[in-house]
């Protein structure tokens, strides 16, 4: 049995003809930077997410950095986020000289806990050492964070909210698409994300006209009326035309793929829920199923036995961000965020992609059940 963790080759087999001709068209018109595909993709992404503006950019990380630059985040600012995420979420905060203030997650959803967020914002406000500026909730594993209470905290303290939808794009919260759930949102088109390209790429979403104008300038070296008029210090953060051409084909297939991801998740949950801690999707939430993550006391044994049968698994995340060397200056220690730490010790992710067959899912499930029975 050969099962891929994320099967990009299978997806390519299905979309090959359209992808090849889309890329060929770019070779022919030769507008490799900001070509017509970039403009078209931005329009289609905005429509998909139900927002006014989508801006293509060079990675999910730059898609986080650009809004923070536009909000003029810098030294002395506190940005609240989760320690149970990929490094990029908090890295961009530190890169700008601001301070990431970590807030523990909800044990069931793995997303930032709105109650703890409220406490953290009030604590930092009261201390008066840092100025609370913004919140970056992460839609972990594809599940949108709990935006209603998060937006209430933001409103009460005049903070911006930047949705890290690198994993969540394609999901929804009470009928509203991921990407539209706060003041601005970022996603990643890294190949393994639910909507991935064939290299690095990302996008920003917002309804805010003036923020958009600023981000479009920052995206191209802080340009003003033209390339050689520079009104602020920016970056080169553009999405390239070839990636946009590929993404247009993949975006067209994305709604069907999301249905298939839901099928895979439902079948895993059906088979495993009485034996492992399977994902919990709260009412009104729709996941894009970037990952299917479970918790078990027997993680190592299960991963090993799956590996022996040719089934890859992965751990997201083995070490929460507050315990990473990169953030040692924040002075955290083990025990500071116990829910994230507990999750990091027991969690692992099973193969998840739209092209997994029911037979493959069942064989993975059966292997896990057999292994667990041997433990009893
Ligand atoms: C992948 C990811 C990013 C960064 O995206 P890149 O395109 O790799 O730069 C940011 N945040 C989260 C939660 C991610 O999973």
């Amino acid at each position: 049995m050969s099962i891929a963790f994320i099967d990009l080759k299978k997806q390519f087999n299905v979309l090959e003809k359209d992808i090849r001709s889309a890329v060929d068209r770019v070779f022919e018109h030769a507008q490799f930077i900001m070509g017509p595909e970039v403009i078209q993709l931005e329009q289609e992404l905005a429509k998909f997410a139900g927002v006014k503006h989508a801006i293509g950019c060079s990675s999910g990380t730059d898609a986080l950095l650009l809004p923070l630059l536009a909000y003029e985040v810098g030294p002395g600012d506190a940005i609240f986020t989760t320690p149970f995420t990929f490094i990029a979420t908090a890295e961009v905060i530190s890169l700008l000289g601001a301070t990431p203030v970590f807030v523990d997650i909800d044990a069931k959803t793995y997303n930032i806990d709105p109650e703890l967020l409220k406490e953290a914002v009030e604590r930092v406000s009261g201390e008066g050492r840092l100025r609370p500026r913004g919140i970056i909730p992460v839609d972990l594993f594809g599940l949108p964070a709990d935006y209603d209470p998060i937006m209430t905290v933001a409103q009460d303290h005049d903070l911006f909210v930047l949705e890290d939808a690198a994993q969540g794009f394609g999901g929804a919260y009470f009928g509203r698409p991921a990407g539209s759930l706060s003041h601005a949102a970022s996603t990643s088109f890294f190949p393994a994300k639910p909507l991935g390209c064939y290299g690095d790429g990302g996008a920003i979403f917002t309804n805010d006209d003036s923020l958009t104008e600023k981000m479009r300038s920052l995206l191209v070296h802080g340009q003003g009326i033209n390339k050689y008029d520079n009104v602020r210090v920016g970056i080169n953060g553009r999405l390239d035309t070839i990636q946009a051409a590929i993404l247009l084909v993949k975006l067209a297939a994305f709604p069907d793929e999301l249905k298939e991801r839901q099928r895979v998740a439902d079948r895993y949950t059906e088979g495993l829920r009485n034996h492992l801690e399977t994902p919990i999707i709260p009412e009104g939430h729709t996941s894009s199923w970037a990952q299917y993550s479970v918790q078990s006391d027997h993680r190592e044994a299960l991963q090993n036995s799956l590996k022996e049968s040719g089934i890859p698994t992965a751990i997201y995340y083995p070490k929460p961000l507050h315990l990473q060397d990169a953030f040692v200056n924040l002075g955290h220690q083990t025990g500071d965020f116990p829910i994230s730490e507990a999750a990091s010790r027991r969690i692992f992710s099973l193969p998840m992609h739209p092209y997994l067959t029911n037979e493959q899912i069942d064989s993975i499930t059966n292997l896990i059940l057999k292994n667990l029975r041997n433990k009893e």
Side-chain angles (χ1 to χ4, degrees):
M1 178 164 48
S2 158
I3 293 179
F5 191 67
I6 290 167
D7 204 338
L8 294 175
K9 286 184 192 159
K10 180 81 221 262
Q11 186 196 42
F12 181 63
N13 289 343
V14 174
L15 304 175
E16 176 167 5
K17 211 169 129 270
D18 291 344
I19 289 178
R20 285 196 191 274
S21 56
V23 171
D24 258 348
R25 279 196 295 276
V26 179
F27 291 149
E28 278 151 26
H29 69 53
Q31 296 178 60
F32 298 110
I33 303 296
M34 296 307 262
E37 285 83 355
V38 176
I39 318 299
Q40 192 192 338
L41 178 69
E42 287 178 340
Q43 286 164 356
E44 294 194 13
L45 285 172
K47 207 167 114 201
F48 191 96
V51 295
K52 218 164 145 190
H53 308 284
I55 303 172
C57 51
S58 46
S59 69
T61 306
D62 281 347
L64 289 164
L65 181 63
L66 285 158
L68 297 186
L69 280 168
Y71 283 121
E72 296 179 31
V73 166
D77 291 344
I79 307 290
F80 300 83
T81 193
T82 155
F84 199 62
T85 178
F86 182 58
I87 182 77
T89 312
E91 174 185 51
V92 289
I93 302 167
S94 290
L95 202 58
L96 294 176
T99 303
V101 177
F102 293 122
V103 176
D104 214 349
I105 52 171
D106 176 281
K108 290 199 174 76
T109 63
Y110 307 114
N111 284 329
I112 196 166
D113 182 325
E115 211 35 62
L116 296 178
L117 171 68
K118 183 165 177 270
E119 286 170 23
V121 174
E122 283 167 3
R123 190 190 70 238
V124 172
S125 293
E127 283 167 2
R129 195 174 54 86
L130 295 168
R131 183 163 75 114
R133 285 292 312 282
I135 306 165
I136 310 184
V138 177
D139 303 338
L140 204 74
F141 304 142
L143 180 71
D146 195 2
Y147 285 90
D148 285 344
I150 291 171
M151 293 309 282
T152 303
V153 174
Q155 226 156 24
D156 291 348
H157 294 269
D158 197 22
L159 309 177
F160 68 78
V161 179
L162 171 61
E163 175 188 358
D164 183 344
Q167 300 178 17
F169 190 64
Y173 180 80
F174 295 99
R176 288 144 58 211
S180 73
L181 303 176
S182 64
H183 301 112
S186 311
T187 197
S188 164
F189 302 130
F190 183 81
K193 307 285 170 163
L195 179 63
C197 60
Y198 289 158
D200 278 308
I204 305 162
F205 304 88
T206 187
N207 287 315
D208 185 329
D209 295 337
S210 70
L211 192 73
T212 299
E213 196 186 313
K214 227 164 153 182
M215 292 192 294
R216 287 220 177 268
S217 160
L218 287 160
L219 186 73
V220 194
H221 306 289
Q223 81 171 13
I225 49 170
N226 64 48
K227 213 170 167 174
Y228 301 107
D229 175 39
N230 309 103
V231 296
R232 52 175 69 83
V233 172
I235 63 173
N236 173 1
R238 295 174 298 238
L239 178 71
D240 73 72
T241 311
I242 289 181
Q243 298 304 338
I246 292 161
L247 282 163
L248 279 167
V249 177
K250 291 219 199 178
L251 183 61
F254 194 44
D256 284 338
E257 288 191 348
L258 286 168
K259 285 188 199 126
E260 293 301 309
R261 286 177 181 276
Q262 187 62 50
R263 169 188 58 83
V264 174
D266 287 342
R267 201 166 177 99
Y268 271 139
T269 300
E270 180 67 30
L272 294 172
R273 72 170 157 224
N274 295 328
H275 310 273
L276 285 177
E277 282 160 56
T278 51
I280 293 169
I281 307 302
E283 209 201 309
H285 292 56
T286 308
S287 179
S288 61
W289 294 108
Q291 301 294 343
Y292 188 91
S293 304
V294 297
Q295 284 196 55
S296 167
D297 291 332
H298 306 294
R299 173 171 76 182
E300 208 185 325
L302 287 173
Q303 282 193 288
N304 285 338
S305 80
L306 288 166
K307 192 175 170 192
E308 278 165 25
S309 304
I311 298 163
T313 59
I315 298 176
Y316 303 110
Y317 293 90
K319 195 196 251 189
L321 297 189
H322 66 286
L323 301 177
Q324 297 284 353
D325 288 347
F327 295 119
V328 38
N329 65 315
L330 298 175
H332 286 300
Q333 53 195 9
T334 303
D336 283 359
F337 302 101
I339 302 170
S340 297
E341 291 166 21
S344 74
R345 286 192 286 267
R346 296 175 78 243
I347 201 163
F348 68 108
S349 304
L350 301 176
M352 169 49 84
H353 60 79
Y355 304 95
L356 274 174
T357 64
N358 287 342
E359 292 67 35
Q360 289 176 317
I361 300 162
D362 293 348
S363 64
I364 295 169
T365 303
N366 289 336
L367 254 165
I368 292 172
L369 297 187
K370 196 173 115 201
N371 204 274
L372 286 174
R373 270 197 300 274
N374 291 341
K375 299 247 157 335
E376 280 155 12

